[in-house]
Amino acid sequence: EDVDKAVTAAKAAFAVGSHWRTLNGSDRRDLMLKLANLVERDRAFLEVLEAMDNGKPIGTDGRYGTSVDLHLVIQYLRYAAGHADKVLGSQIPVDGHIFAYTRKEPVGVCGAIIPWNFPLLMFAWKVGPILATGCTVVFKTSEKTPLSALHIGKLIKEAGFPPGVVNILSGYGSAGEALARHMDVDKIAFTGSTAVGHKIEQYATESNMKKVTLELGGKSPMIIFDDANIETAVNTARAGLFLNQGQVCTASSRIFVHESIHDKFVAAMVQNAQGINVGGYDEKDIDQGPQVDKIQFLKVLGYIEKGIEEGATLRLGGHRHGNKGYFIEPTIFTD
C-alpha cells in the first residue's frame, strides 16, 4: 500500500504538463545545488545521524568515517547538478534531404533500492542522475539504516522540489519486491547482494519489462607482486578490507601475495592492523566501529570460526571486541 501511494505520487509528478516536467534543465540544476547547500548546512548533524544509524565512526584526523561520506555526498550532488542542463542529443548525417537527430528524454518513474553500508552516499549516487535527467523516484532504504535518508527528504522539501518528485520509504525485502514488480515503475536500480539482484531482474521481467541497473557485491582478490612497495601494499590492503568494518561490496578480503615477499608482507600487515582502534562513533581516534547489526555480527564471527575449522592460521584477532555491542577484532588469516 505504501509503495502504491509513493509510485502514484511519483507518476503524478512526472505527468506531462506537471511542474517538474516543465522545468528547464537549469531550474533542476539550481534546485539540486540548493539541496547540496542544505546538506552542507546540516552536515554536522548528518554525520552524527549516519554514524548512529550505521555504526561507522565519524572520522577525524584523516580517518575514514561519516565525515568523508558527507563530503562525497555534497560534492556528488553538485557534480550531478552540473549535468542537468547538459543532456545532449546528436545530429546524425544521413543520405538525402533528411534531418536526423536524437533527443534524450527522462525514463520516467524510477525505483531505487539502496543498502545499509553507505546509506547517504548510495542515496546521492542514485538521486543525482535521476533528478538531473528529470525523472521522479521512489526510494526504498534499508530497514537497518532509515534515518539519514528521512532527513534528506526534509531537505528536498525545503529546497523546493515539487511534491512527488522524490519519495522515500523504508522497509524489508517485501517492499523492494513490490517496487520492482510495480507496473508504473519504468526503471529499477538496485545495490546489494548478487542473490537479491537475480530476484530484482526476475521481478522486473515478470512485470512490465522495466529497465534494470544492478550494482552487486563482489569478492575480487588483491594481488601483490614481488616488486610492490610493502608499505604501500599494506596500507592499500588495510583500506581494502577494514574500511567501513569490511562492509564494502568491493572489499578485498582475499590477498594473494608473491611467495618471495609473503612473510615480510604478513608481518607488516599484522603490525599495521594491530594499530586499528575499535570503538563507538563518539569515541576519539576510532578507525573501526561495530558491524551494522546482530545478523552481520554473527555472520562475520561465523566466517572466522569456519576459517579456524578449515585449518587456516589465525595471525590476529578472531574474537569479539569487548563485551557489548557488535564489535569484532581486526582479523587476519594466512595459509
Side-chain angles (χ1 to χ4, degrees), residues 44 104 106 186 188 198 213 215 222 248 264 270 278 291 310 323 327:
K104 295 181 179 178
D186 301 296
I188 191 81
H198 280 290
T213 300
E215 181 194 3
M222 178 179 293
V248 183
K264 185 178 180 181
V270 169
V278 181
Q291 307 310 122
E310 293 182 354
N323 55 15
F327 300 94

Side-chain angles (χ1 to χ4, degrees), residues 13-181:
F14 189 73
V16 174
S18 69
H19 182 192
W20 180 243
R21 287 294 294 276
T22 56
L23 288 179
N24 295 315
S26 57
D27 296 324
R28 297 196 303 273
R29 175 202 65 202
D30 292 345
L31 284 171
M32 293 178 69
L33 290 173
K34 187 173 182 180
L35 175 60
N37 291 340
L38 291 172
V39 173
E40 188 169 46
R41 181 198 70 188
D42 290 0
R43 175 173 177 167
F45 172 77
L46 283 165
E47 287 175 358
V48 174
L49 186 64
E50 188 85 327
M52 292 175 62
D53 213 15
N54 172 274
K56 66 178 71 181
I58 291 177
T60 58
D61 300 326
R63 292 176 169 84
Y64 169 74
T66 58
S67 60
V68 175
D69 287 359
L70 262 295
H71 170 75
L72 294 174
V73 166
I74 295 163
Q75 292 296 96
Y76 185 75
L77 287 175
R78 288 172 176 159
Y79 169 81
H83 285 273
D85 58 352
K86 302 175 184 67
V87 180
L88 307 176
S90 302
Q91 186 271 319
I92 306 166
V94 296
D95 293 343
H97 299 291
I98 299 171
F99 179 66
Y101 68 96
T102 61
R103 170 187 166 94
K104 295 181 179 178
E105 297 186 343
V107 169
V109 177
C110 299
I113 303 173
I114 57 177
W116 44 261
N117 55 345
F118 295 92
L120 275 182
L121 196 52
M122 293 294 179
F123 186 97
W125 284 357
K126 284 181 170 49
V127 83
I130 287 169
L131 296 179
T133 53
C135 297
T136 60
V137 63
V138 177
F139 273 97
K140 203 291 284 186
T141 61
S142 171
E143 70 280 3
K144 302 178 192 292
T145 53
L147 299 181
S148 53
L150 294 177
H151 186 76
I152 294 294
K154 293 181 180 180
L155 300 185
I156 287 170
K157 185 175 182 180
E158 183 178 346
F161 284 87
V165 172
V166 179
N167 308 270
I168 302 171
L169 302 172
S170 183
Y172 294 98
S174 57
E177 179 179 350
L179 190 59
R181 288 188 181 278

